Structures are given as structure tokens and as C-alpha cells.
Amino acid sequence: MTDATTKAPTARQRRGWNVADIVREYGVLLIIVLLLVVLTMLSDSFLTPRNLLNILNQSTPLFIISCALTLVIIGGGFDLSTGAIFGVAAVSAAWLAINVDPYLAMVAAPLIGIVLGTINGVIITAFNVHSFLVTLATSLVYRGMAILVTNGKLIPVRIDEFAWLGRQKLDLGGGVSVNIAVIVMLVFMALIMFILNRTTLGRAIYAVGGNEEAALLSGIRTNLVKIITFAFSGGAAGLAGVITVSRLSMGEPQAGTGLEFEAIAAVILGGTSIMGGAGAIWRSMAGVLLLALIGNGFNILNVNPFFKDLTTGVIIVLAVALAAAGNRR
């Protein structure tokens, strides 16, 4: 007797895998391996523990935001406000660190992000407006809030207790050390992966993104699921914001401008479906890593930044084309 929990084989599984399928499913990983090989051959300073850890450290905010944004996109949503929430949380943390308490500032930034993300979700579900339009509008509001907090000025934060999150390192031995921020990012990533893959909420997110009407009929509180995904996205932006301010010792109202587009590009590049219902955290992390490797490689080789943007754009277009070709089959 067949186990009732056994899933029926997909069309792709029945016909077997071919080279085209492998490229579509794991193309981003293949490109990463190719980049690692090429950059290692071109520069002796690339494949070193110090440089690789530096890549992770510099990309920590983008890793965190992309990780949570994956939940939103799998759930069928879109969030253009993460950069603005990043800015609000960053300047709020800077102000609180100076005027109240540095440790409170580190806790408050993610909470501010959760509140702003929840507002996004509530507006989207209450008025049944597409998340693209809502988050585009709220991004302008939130950016204005950041300017109000700072009065349009920079907020320098030279407090050792606050700089701990972004600058403190943990010695791994052998002259190798890793930033605390990287450890925070890895813990956050593990948490999101657990939620998405091992919990009822994760299954509900896939269901809502795959077919919202069917999910609603099956008893899933679709509006609540959407709100939760946007709350996660906002909280991640707040966490990324306080890490960045802690590292730079400076809060500025325009911080995070364009970060939302980098995160969306990373998620799409990793292979998460922009239509919702399909994707994985590891895919988005691979997309972020690919973007980081491109940037780091071009910096090491001292190549014109124009070619970096050109290369990134071409790779994203190819990734989307491959995904679209796979969906048509």
C-alpha cells in the first residue's frame, strides 16, 4: 500500500533530469563556482579567509533583508519599503543611542521595523490593494519620517557599547576572526529557514503564494499570513539598519536608498519565483552571495564600476529568462 503522505512524482521527476533542468535549478550555484574559480586565478588575495569573511561582513545587511523578503515574495507579495524602513530604524537607533541608551537602541530598531512592516501588511489586507503600490507609497512616508527624526542632518554615534554590534569580532583562532554581525546574520537566516521549512506558518506562506483562494478555502488565515511576512520583512530591515549604523557610527536619513532593489534582485537571481508559491531561503542567500562576489571581484581587479552593473544586470536577465523557460515546460 502506498503511503498517503508520499507525494506524486512531478513531470520532471518522471522524465528524469537533464542538463537544462540542472542549469535552471542550480544555475546560480554553478555561476558562483565559476566566479570563485575565475577570481581565484586572477587574484591571489581573493580566496583568503580574510577576504571571504569581509565579503560576508559587508553583505550582512543585504543577507538579512533578502532572507526575510523571500518570505514576502513566496507569499505572493512585494516589498519596496525595506530601504526606507532601514533608514527609519537606522536614524532612530542613532538618536536613541545618544539620547537614551545604546542597548535600548539596538533592541528598538528591529521593533520599529516590525511595527512599520506590520502597518504595510495591515493596509494591504484591509484595503485589498496590491503590495507593490502600498509599499511604494509607504516607502515615501517612511523616508520622510527618517528626515523628520534627523531634521535632515547626520547623527554621529561614537559610543563603544553601540559600536559593539557592528564592529566587535570573535576570534576563531589562527589569526582569523568573524564579526558579531555575521553571527547574527547566520542565526537570523537559520531562524527564517526553520520557520519556512519546519512550521505550519511556513507551509501556509507557500500555500498563500501558490493559490490564495484555495488557501483561504482550506482554512488558512491568508490576511494574517501576509501581515506576518511583512512584519518579518520590516523587522529584518530594522535589524540590518542598526547593524549598519553600529558599524559606521553614523545615522543618516538617506541610508538604505536602493537597498530594496538589491534585495529583490538577489531573491530573483537565486531562483525564487516572483509569482509566489515557490522558492527557498538558500536560493536568496546564493543570490546575495553572487552579487557580493561580483562586487568584490571587480573591486579587487580595479575594474570600472560600469562593467560591474552591466554584468550584474545581464546575469539577472539570464536568470529570469531561465526561470521563465522552466515554467513554460
Side-chain angles (χ1 to χ4, degrees):
M1 181 179 292
T2 304
D3 187 348
T5 62
T6 302
K7 294 181 180 179
T10 63
R12 178 175 291 166
Q13 290 171 331
R14 288 195 296 268
R15 73 169 185 269
W17 287 76
N18 55 40
V19 175
D21 292 330
I22 293 174
V23 170
R24 271 188 290 270
E25 289 294 322
Y26 303 105
V28 63
L29 297 181
L30 296 175
I31 296 174
I32 287 174
V33 172
L34 179 62
L35 266 179
L36 288 172
V37 173
V38 172
L39 292 174
T40 300
M41 294 173 61
L42 293 177
S43 174
D44 295 334
S45 60
F46 172 74
L47 198 62
T48 61
R50 181 177 181 180
N51 184 56
L52 295 179
L53 287 172
N54 180 61
I55 292 174
L56 287 179
N57 184 46
Q58 294 297 323
S59 303
T60 290
L62 186 57
F63 270 113
I64 291 173
I65 291 176
S66 299
C67 198
L69 184 61
T70 305
L71 298 183
V72 174
I73 293 179
I74 290 176
F78 216 73
D79 194 350
L80 292 176
S81 68
T82 50
I85 294 176
F86 177 101
V88 174
V91 297
S92 298
W95 188 91
L96 287 170
I98 293 174
N99 296 284
V100 184
D101 182 80
Y103 295 108
L104 175 63
M106 287 188 279
V107 175
L111 294 179
I112 291 171
I114 290 173
V115 170
L116 298 181
T118 301
I119 291 173
N120 284 340
V122 169
I123 294 174
I124 290 165
T125 55
F127 296 99
N128 195 27
V129 181
H130 196 284
S131 55
F132 182 95
L133 297 175
V134 171
T135 56
L136 177 61
T138 57
S139 68
L140 300 177
V141 175
Y142 297 157
R143 188 63 69 183
M145 290 170 57
I147 294 174
L148 287 175
V149 170
T150 63
N151 198 25
K153 300 177 182 178
L154 301 178
I155 303 179
V157 189
R158 298 182 179 89
I159 303 174
D160 292 338
E161 293 84 356
F162 187 73
W164 168 84
L165 179 61
R167 296 188 178 185
Q168 186 70 34
K169 294 185 178 182
L170 179 64
D171 188 9
L172 300 179
V176 178
S177 58
V178 59
N179 288 70
I180 297 297
V182 174
I183 297 175
V184 172
M185 178 267 290
L186 294 174
V187 171
F188 183 80
M189 180 180 70
L191 173 63
I192 298 298
M193 289 183 70
F194 176 80
I195 290 172
L196 188 60
N197 299 323
R198 302 293 182 182
T199 67
T200 302
L201 174 60
R203 292 188 290 273
I205 291 172
Y206 278 110
V208 172
N211 189 322
E212 184 177 349
E213 184 176 351
L216 184 62
L217 292 175
S218 67
I220 295 175
R221 300 174 65 182
T222 56
N223 285 346
L224 179 60
V225 170
K226 289 181 182 180
I227 292 172
I228 290 174
T229 61
F230 280 96
F232 269 112
S233 181
L239 178 60
V242 71
I243 288 175
T244 301
V245 173
S246 176
R247 178 188 300 159
L248 300 178
S249 299
M250 183 71 68
E252 56 176 315
Q254 296 302 321
T257 301
L259 191 57
E260 65 274 19
F261 297 112
E262 290 185 59
I264 291 170
V267 174
I268 296 173
L269 186 57
T272 293
S273 173
I274 198 69
M275 304 302 295
I281 299 300
W282 73 264
R283 290 187 173 279
S284 299
M285 299 302 95
V288 175
L289 182 58
L290 178 54
L291 294 179
L293 288 175
I294 292 173
N296 182 260
F298 276 77
N299 289 336
I300 288 178
L301 300 176
N302 197 27
V303 179
N304 190 322
F306 166 77
F307 293 104
K308 177 190 120 175
D309 294 337
L310 178 63
T311 303
T312 303
V314 169
I315 290 176
I316 291 173
V317 169
L318 289 175
V320 173
L322 285 172
N327 291 334
R328 287 196 297 268
R329 293 187 61 176

